[in-house]
Amino acid sequence: MTQDSLYQKSYIRRLPELAKLAPDTFKAFAEFDKLALSDGLIPKKAKELIAVAVAHVTGCPYCIEAHVVASKRLEASKEEMAEAIMVATALKAGSAMAHGLNALQAYDEENNEELYKKSNMARFKEFTEISPEGLRSFNQFDREAMKPGLISAKDKELIAIAVAHVTGCPYCIEIHTKNAKKIGLSREELAEAIFVATALKAGSALAHSVNALNAYDF
């Protein structure tokens, strides 16, 4: 290991040290993570594809490595992996686009205490006048990313919901939860997808602990 290298696959081998430093907490997280990614109403393969997508939003290289390998073991194809990543990309871009609604409010100096309201979404049409080509290009990409392919429309919406809980975009949560409900999503499936997102967001913090250990020791 060189002190100049911040990411190496081998660093993840230090993770068990956390089990010694905070055993009860580590055990509790490990049990939660295992349960969140296990077979349920959402099959394990679909959960691993959700995990791959979310890992591309948390930006954790250790999580990407682990869940790509896990999904491959469950016979997810490279094409399915790519579709999941494209949904994650669309949602990450979409959260920035959606927060543009708040930018419009701020620019117009609207003294509104409520920063997030469903009615704000009506202002999306303003971007057709402000930046028509940009909005058209984004909408085209978003439609292509969410279009059913090797991954079904319902599973893509599950990925979108999970990613939206990581980007923290309330507009995206609203839109994709309603979209998924229209095509048969149950409350229980919604909860399972959210718990996968929760496990991945927490897991990225835990995985980066190996960098903290390296920094502490060197």
Side-chain angles (χ1 to χ4, degrees), residues 63-207:
C63 300
I64 292 171
E65 174 82 12
H67 291 287
V68 166
V69 170
S71 67
K72 185 177 180 181
R73 285 178 184 150
L74 294 168
E75 299 185 349
S77 67
K78 189 178 287 187
E79 290 77 13
E80 287 174 304
M81 180 189 73
E83 284 193 15
I85 293 168
M86 286 300 177
V87 174
T89 306
L91 264 289
K92 195 167 185 179
S95 69
M97 185 72 241
H99 280 91
L101 301 174
N102 296 64
L104 292 173
Q105 285 183 256
Y107 190 90
D108 293 343
E109 299 183 12
E110 294 186 6
N111 295 318
N112 191 334
E113 184 64 25
E114 294 182 68
L115 292 174
Y116 292 97
K117 295 193 298 183
K118 291 182 185 180
S119 58
N120 290 347
M121 288 190 277
R123 298 197 68 175
F124 267 125
K125 63 180 181 292
E126 294 179 41
F127 284 105
T128 62
E129 300 173 1
I130 300 168
S131 182
E133 289 302 318
L135 184 63
R136 189 178 299 113
S137 296
F138 168 74
N139 284 337
Q140 182 179 354
F141 166 60
D142 188 66
R143 284 193 299 270
E144 286 296 319
M146 295 303 300
K147 187 168 67 176
L150 293 173
I151 300 176
S152 69
K154 183 177 177 181
D155 282 353
K156 285 195 172 184
E157 289 294 350
L158 285 170
I159 293 170
I161 290 166
V163 171
H165 279 78
V166 176
T167 65
C169 175
Y171 303 119
C172 301
I173 292 170
E174 174 82 11
I175 291 167
H176 290 286
T177 298
K178 288 187 178 299
N179 286 348
K181 184 180 178 180
K182 287 176 184 175
I183 54 177
L185 179 79
S186 68
R187 284 174 178 264
E188 291 77 11
E189 289 171 306
L190 174 69
E192 285 191 13
I194 292 168
F195 278 124
V196 174
T198 306
L200 263 289
K201 194 166 186 179
S204 69
L206 185 66

Side-chain angles (χ1 to χ4, degrees), residues 1-65:
M1 182 179 74
T2 68
Q3 293 185 33
D4 191 46
S5 179
L6 294 176
Y7 284 105
Q8 289 185 12
K9 290 183 184 181
S10 59
Y11 292 171
I12 205 68
R13 295 174 192 160
R14 298 200 67 178
L15 199 58
E17 293 179 41
L18 266 290
K20 296 178 182 178
L21 296 168
D24 292 341
T25 309
F26 187 93
K27 181 181 178 182
F29 172 76
E31 289 175 352
F32 164 66
D33 185 68
K34 182 179 178 180
L35 186 58
L37 273 295
S38 65
D39 266 317
L41 291 172
I42 302 174
K44 187 169 176 59
K45 177 184 170 182
K47 286 188 174 182
E48 285 295 346
L49 285 170
I50 293 172
V52 168
V54 174
H56 279 78
V57 178
T58 66
C60 174
Y62 304 118
C63 300
I64 292 171
E65 174 82 12

